[in-house]
Amino acid sequence: MTAGTITAAPTPRRVASGTAGRLLRSPSGAVGGALVLGLAVLSVLSATGALPFEPAAQDTAARLQAPSAAHWLGTDQFGRDILARVASGVANSSLVALVAVAVATVVGTLAGVVAGFLRGTTDLAIGGVTNVLFAFPPLLLALTLASVLERTWFTVAIAIAVVYTPIFVRVTRGPVLTLREVDYVAAARATGMHAASIMLRHVLPNITGILIVQITLSLSWAVLTEASLSFLGLGTPPPAASLGSMIFDARTLVTVAPWTLLAPGAVLILLVVGLNLLGDGLRDALDPTGRRSR
């Protein structure tokens, strides 16, 4: 580069393209992305009715059939196609997890940014509520809320959201404490810019990378929590399929029809592992320090 040459700042599209490239070059990111994409396609096929069987369609003449050309993953005790139910279960569990994490992200991020930027009594109040929620074991808190609320997929999502909101408060508050002291934030404050504008324009964009990674990891935890609630009878209500309820129903059939347990269990593991690997890959792709070291 010659003296006096001005280099153009990278555009958002170039930044996103570079991040995607680093993600695909990361083994964990590539494997996790492939797993999540494959299961997402399976969910779309189920939601659009592209699969040959309906998840709730019963056929007593075909009950407990082993995997075959007609039923790739076999059938359950009611003659329902396990592949169709697994696909529907992934879609239902993913919907609950997406709504739960979306609510937790919005509420927790706003609370964390406000607490870290304003400090004082606001920080103490938000921190107090966060500490109270952290005092409960996550699954126990989700069980309590799910049992109190009317049982629908949305109330299950809200119960899970309450559990994970404090995590987003903690994740965002720490970086904001540092960002509020940097020069450009101090300059914006000195010019009389409103605190809300500073938080939206200067603070929130600088924690986007942290949020993306946390959202991906929280999705895997939310899927596992929904499956746990469904296993205990407090998750997605029937007749909607759920991976957790499928595992619960298959526990007495494992000796005579092991495929009824192996299929939903394996898919649940693949979904959780895929989301975790994708989160690890995103963390590496968005980490400038790790990028330079490679």
Side-chain angles (χ1 to χ4, degrees):
M1 182 183 298
T2 60
T5 301
I6 299 176
T7 304
T11 63
R13 180 178 296 181
R14 288 178 59 188
V15 173
S17 177
T19 301
R22 288 188 296 272
L23 177 63
L24 293 176
R25 288 193 297 270
S26 167
S28 59
V31 173
L35 288 175
V36 172
L37 179 60
L39 292 174
V41 170
L42 187 63
S43 300
V44 171
L45 292 176
S46 173
T48 57
L51 296 178
F53 297 97
E54 291 292 329
Q58 299 185 18
D59 183 4
T60 54
R63 59 189 301 271
L64 295 179
Q65 286 190 359
S68 63
H71 301 278
W72 290 1
L73 296 181
T75 61
D76 64 8
Q77 66 272 34
F78 300 108
R80 297 174 297 190
D81 184 74
I82 291 180
L83 175 60
R85 290 187 59 76
V86 164
S88 180
V90 171
N92 293 331
S93 298
S94 299
L95 176 62
V96 172
L98 284 170
V99 173
V101 173
V103 173
T105 301
V106 173
V107 176
T109 299
L110 290 177
V113 170
V114 170
F117 191 82
L118 298 183
R119 300 297 303 275
T121 56
T122 302
D123 189 17
L124 291 175
I126 294 176
V129 174
T130 301
N131 290 333
V132 169
L133 293 175
F134 268 126
F136 294 92
L139 184 57
L140 178 60
L141 180 58
L143 278 170
T144 303
L145 294 173
S147 61
V148 171
L149 299 172
E150 182 183 359
R151 190 181 171 194
T152 65
W153 73 266
F154 185 73
T155 55
V156 173
I158 295 301
I160 297 174
V162 173
V163 173
Y164 292 110
T165 295
I167 297 175
F168 282 91
V169 176
R170 288 280 179 90
V171 165
T172 55
R173 178 182 175 274
V176 171
L177 289 174
T178 302
L179 288 171
R180 72 189 299 271
E181 305 298 336
V182 298
D183 292 341
Y184 58 85
V185 172
R189 191 185 294 116
T191 60
M193 183 179 291
H194 194 274
S197 298
I198 298 175
M199 286 185 280
L200 290 175
R201 294 179 58 184
H202 298 295
V203 175
L204 194 57
N206 284 285
I207 60 173
T208 302
I210 298 173
L211 286 176
I212 291 174
V213 175
Q214 185 59 47
I215 287 170
T216 308
L217 296 176
S218 295
L219 281 173
S220 67
W221 303 336
V223 167
L224 197 56
T225 303
E226 190 278 333
S228 301
L229 291 176
S230 295
F231 182 86
L232 296 173
L234 292 172
T236 303
S242 172
L243 297 176
S245 60
M246 290 181 67
I247 294 173
F248 178 82
D249 293 338
R251 74 194 192 286
T252 59
L253 302 171
V254 65
T255 56
V256 294
W259 57 87
T260 59
L261 177 65
L262 292 176
V267 170
L268 178 61
I269 292 172
L270 289 176
L271 182 56
V272 173
V273 170
L275 287 168
N276 273 292
L277 290 175
L278 183 59
D280 289 340
L282 282 171
R283 181 177 55 198
D284 294 340
L286 294 169
D287 181 17
T289 304
R291 197 183 312 158
R292 285 194 297 268
S293 64
R294 288 190 293 272

